[in-house]
Coordinates of all heavy atoms in Angstrom, one line a residue:
Chain Z
V199 N -9.3 20.6 -11.1 CA -10.1 21.2 -10.0 C -10.5 20.1 -9.0 O -10.4 20.4 -7.7 CB -11.3 21.9 -10.5 CG1 -12.1 22.6 -9.4 CG2 -10.9 23.0 -11.5
R200 N -10.8 19.0 -9.5 CA -11.2 17.9 -8.5 C -10.0 17.5 -7.6 O -10.2 17.3 -6.4 CB -11.7 16.7 -9.3 CG -13.0 17.0 -10.1 CD -13.6 15.8 -10.7 NE -14.9 16.2 -11.4 CZ -15.0 16.3 -12.8 NH1 -14.0 16.0 -13.6 NH2 -16.1 16.8 -13.3
M201 N -8.8 17.5 -8.2 CA -7.6 17.1 -7.4 C -7.4 18.2 -6.4 O -7.1 18.0 -5.2 CB -6.4 16.9 -8.3 CG -6.5 15.7 -9.1 SD -4.9 15.0 -9.7 CE -4.3 16.4 -10.8
L202 N -7.6 19.5 -6.8 CA -7.4 20.6 -5.9 C -8.4 20.5 -4.7 O -8.0 20.7 -3.5 CB -7.7 21.9 -6.7 CG -8.0 23.2 -5.8 CD1 -6.8 23.6 -5.1 CD2 -8.5 24.3 -6.7
K203 N -9.7 20.2 -5.0 CA -10.6 20.1 -3.9 C -10.3 19.0 -3.0 O -10.5 19.1 -1.7 CB -12.0 20.0 -4.5 CG -12.5 21.3 -5.2 CD -13.8 21.1 -5.9 CE -15.0 21.0 -5.0 NZ -16.3 21.0 -5.7
I204 N -9.9 17.8 -3.5 CA -9.6 16.7 -2.7 C -8.4 17.0 -1.7 O -8.5 16.8 -0.5 CB -9.1 15.4 -3.5 CG1 -10.4 14.9 -4.3 CG2 -8.5 14.4 -2.7 CD1 -10.0 13.9 -5.4
L205 N -7.4 17.6 -2.2 CA -6.2 18.0 -1.4 C -6.5 19.1 -0.4 O -6.1 19.0 0.7 CB -5.0 18.3 -2.3 CG -4.4 17.1 -2.9 CD1 -3.3 17.5 -3.9 CD2 -3.8 16.1 -1.9
S206 N -7.2 20.1 -0.9 CA -7.5 21.2 0.0 C -8.3 20.8 1.2 O -8.3 21.3 2.3 CB -8.3 22.3 -0.7 OG -7.3 23.0 -1.6
G207 N -9.2 19.8 0.9 CA -10.2 19.3 1.9 C -9.5 18.6 3.1 O -9.9 18.6 4.2
V208 N -8.2 18.1 2.8 CA -7.5 17.4 3.9 C -6.3 18.3 4.4 O -6.0 18.2 5.6 CB -7.0 16.0 3.5 CG1 -8.2 15.1 3.3 CG2 -6.1 16.1 2.4
H209 N -5.7 19.1 3.5 CA -4.6 19.9 3.9 C -5.1 21.2 4.6 O -4.4 21.7 5.5 CB -3.7 20.3 2.7 CG -2.9 19.1 2.2 ND1 -2.4 19.2 1.0 CD2 -2.6 17.9 2.7 CE1 -1.8 18.0 0.8 NE2 -1.9 17.2 1.8
Y210 N -6.2 21.7 4.2 CA -6.7 23.0 4.6 C -8.0 22.8 5.2 O -8.2 22.5 6.3 CB -6.6 24.0 3.5 CG -7.1 25.4 3.6 CD1 -6.7 26.2 4.7 CD2 -8.0 26.0 2.7 CE1 -7.2 27.5 4.9 CE2 -8.5 27.3 2.9 CZ -8.1 28.0 4.0 OH -8.5 29.3 4.1
L211 N -9.1 23.1 4.4 CA -10.5 22.9 4.8 C -11.4 22.5 3.7 O -11.1 22.8 2.5 CB -11.0 24.4 5.3 CG -10.3 25.0 6.5 CD1 -10.6 26.4 6.7 CD2 -10.7 24.2 7.8
D212 N -12.5 21.9 4.0 CA -13.5 21.6 3.0 C -14.0 23.0 2.5 O -14.0 23.9 3.3 CB -14.6 20.8 3.6 CG -14.3 19.4 3.7 OD1 -13.6 18.9 2.9 OD2 -14.9 18.7 4.6
M213 N -14.5 23.0 1.3 CA -15.0 24.2 0.7 C -16.1 24.9 1.6 O -16.2 26.1 1.7 CB -15.5 24.0 -0.8 CG -14.5 23.6 -1.7 SD -13.3 25.0 -1.9 CE -11.8 24.1 -2.4
Q214 N -16.9 24.0 2.2 CA -18.1 24.7 3.0 C -17.5 25.3 4.3 O -18.1 26.3 4.8 CB -19.1 23.7 3.4 CG -18.7 22.6 4.3 CD -18.3 21.3 3.5 OE1 -18.0 21.4 2.4 NE2 -18.4 20.1 4.1
D215 N -16.3 24.9 4.7 CA -15.7 25.6 5.9 C -14.9 26.8 5.5 O -14.7 27.7 6.3 CB -14.8 24.6 6.6 CG -15.7 23.5 7.5 OD1 -16.7 23.9 7.8 OD2 -15.2 22.4 7.6
V216 N -14.4 26.8 4.3 CA -13.6 28.0 3.9 C -14.5 29.2 3.9 O -14.0 30.3 4.4 CB -13.2 27.8 2.4 CG1 -12.5 29.1 1.9 CG2 -12.2 26.7 2.3
A217 N -15.7 29.1 3.7 CA -16.6 30.2 3.6 C -16.9 30.8 4.9 O -17.2 32.1 5.1 CB -18.0 29.8 3.0
N218 N -16.8 30.1 6.0 CA -17.1 30.6 7.4 C -15.8 30.9 8.1 O -15.1 30.0 8.5 CB -17.9 29.5 8.1 CG -18.3 29.9 9.5 OD1 -17.9 31.0 10.0 ND2 -19.0 29.1 10.2
P219 N -15.5 32.2 8.3 CA -14.3 32.6 9.0 C -14.1 32.1 10.4 O -13.1 32.2 11.0 CB -14.2 34.1 8.9 CG -15.6 34.5 8.4 CD -16.3 33.4 7.9
G220 N -15.2 31.6 10.9 CA -15.2 31.0 12.3 C -15.0 29.5 12.3 O -14.8 28.9 13.4
A221 N -15.0 28.9 11.2 CA -14.8 27.4 11.1 C -13.4 27.0 11.0 O -12.6 27.7 10.3 CB -15.6 26.9 10.0
N222 N -13.0 25.9 11.7 CA -11.7 25.3 11.5 C -11.8 23.9 11.1 O -10.7 23.2 11.1 CB -10.9 25.5 12.8 CG -11.3 24.5 13.9 OD1 -12.4 23.9 13.9 ND2 -10.4 24.2 14.8
G223 N -12.9 23.4 10.7 CA -13.0 22.1 10.1 C -12.7 21.0 11.1 O -12.3 19.9 10.6
G224 N -12.8 21.3 12.4 CA -12.4 20.2 13.4 C -11.0 20.0 13.5 O -10.5 19.0 14.2
R225 N -10.1 20.9 13.0 CA -8.7 20.8 13.2 C -8.3 21.1 14.6 O -9.0 21.7 15.3 CB -8.0 21.7 12.2 CG -8.3 21.5 10.7 CD -7.7 20.3 10.2 NE -7.9 20.2 8.7 CZ -8.8 19.4 8.1 NH1 -9.6 18.5 8.8 NH2 -8.9 19.4 6.8
S226 N -7.0 20.8 14.9 CA -6.5 21.0 16.3 C -6.0 22.5 16.4 O -5.6 22.9 17.5 CB -5.4 20.0 16.6 OG -6.0 18.7 16.7
I227 N -5.8 23.2 15.3 CA -5.4 24.5 15.4 C -6.6 25.4 15.0 O -7.5 25.0 14.3 CB -4.2 24.9 14.4 CG1 -4.4 24.3 13.0 CG2 -2.9 24.4 15.0 CD1 -3.3 24.6 12.0
T228 N -6.6 26.6 15.5 CA -7.8 27.5 15.3 C -7.8 28.1 13.9 O -6.8 28.1 13.2 CB -7.7 28.6 16.3 OG1 -6.6 29.5 16.0 CG2 -7.7 28.2 17.8
R229 N -8.9 28.7 13.5 CA -8.9 29.3 12.2 C -7.9 30.4 12.0 O -7.2 30.5 11.0 CB -10.3 29.8 11.9 CG -10.5 30.3 10.4 CD -10.2 29.2 9.4 NE -10.4 29.7 8.1 CZ -11.5 29.7 7.4 NH1 -12.6 29.1 7.9 NH2 -11.6 30.1 6.2
P230 N -7.8 31.3 13.0 CA -6.7 32.3 12.9 C -5.4 31.7 12.7 O -4.5 32.3 12.0 CB -6.9 33.2 14.2 CG -8.3 33.0 14.5 CD -8.6 31.6 14.2
Q231 N -5.1 30.7 13.5 CA -3.7 30.0 13.3 C -3.6 29.5 12.0 O -2.5 29.5 11.3 CB -3.6 28.9 14.4 CG -3.4 29.4 15.8 CD -3.5 28.3 16.8 OE1 -4.2 27.3 16.7 NE2 -2.7 28.4 17.9
I232 N -4.6 28.8 11.4 CA -4.6 28.3 10.0 C -4.3 29.4 9.1 O -3.4 29.3 8.2 CB -5.9 27.6 9.7 CG1 -6.1 26.3 10.5 CG2 -6.0 27.4 8.2 CD1 -7.5 25.7 10.4
E233 N -5.0 30.6 9.2 CA -4.9 31.6 8.3 C -3.5 32.4 8.4 O -3.0 32.9 7.5 CB -6.0 32.6 8.4 CG -7.4 32.0 8.1 CD -7.5 31.4 6.7 OE1 -6.7 31.8 5.8 OE2 -8.3 30.5 6.5
L234 N -3.0 32.4 9.6 CA -1.6 32.9 9.8 C -0.6 32.1 9.0 O 0.2 32.8 8.3 CB -1.3 32.9 11.3 CG 0.1 33.5 11.6 CD1 0.2 34.9 11.5 CD2 0.5 33.1 13.1
I235 N -0.7 30.8 9.1 CA 0.3 30.0 8.3 C 0.0 30.3 6.8 O 1.0 30.4 6.0 CB 0.0 28.5 8.6 CG1 0.3 28.2 10.0 CG2 0.9 27.7 7.7 CD1 -0.3 26.9 10.5
A236 N -1.3 30.3 6.4 CA -1.6 30.5 5.0 C -1.0 31.8 4.5 O -0.4 31.9 3.4 CB -3.1 30.5 4.8

Side-chain angles (χ1 to χ4, degrees):
Chain Z
V199 179
R200 294 185 180 107
M201 292 202 295
L202 160 71
K203 290 173 72 174
I204 289 165
L205 286 174
S206 288
V208 297
H209 289 164
Y210 177 50
L211 295 166
D212 279 331
M213 291 298 155
Q214 67 264 24
D215 286 329
V216 173
N218 181 355
N222 76 338
R225 303 288 189 252
S226 296
I227 47 179
T228 66
R229 185 61 179 272
Q231 288 171 325
I232 290 171
E233 298 302 336
L234 179 70
I235 299 166

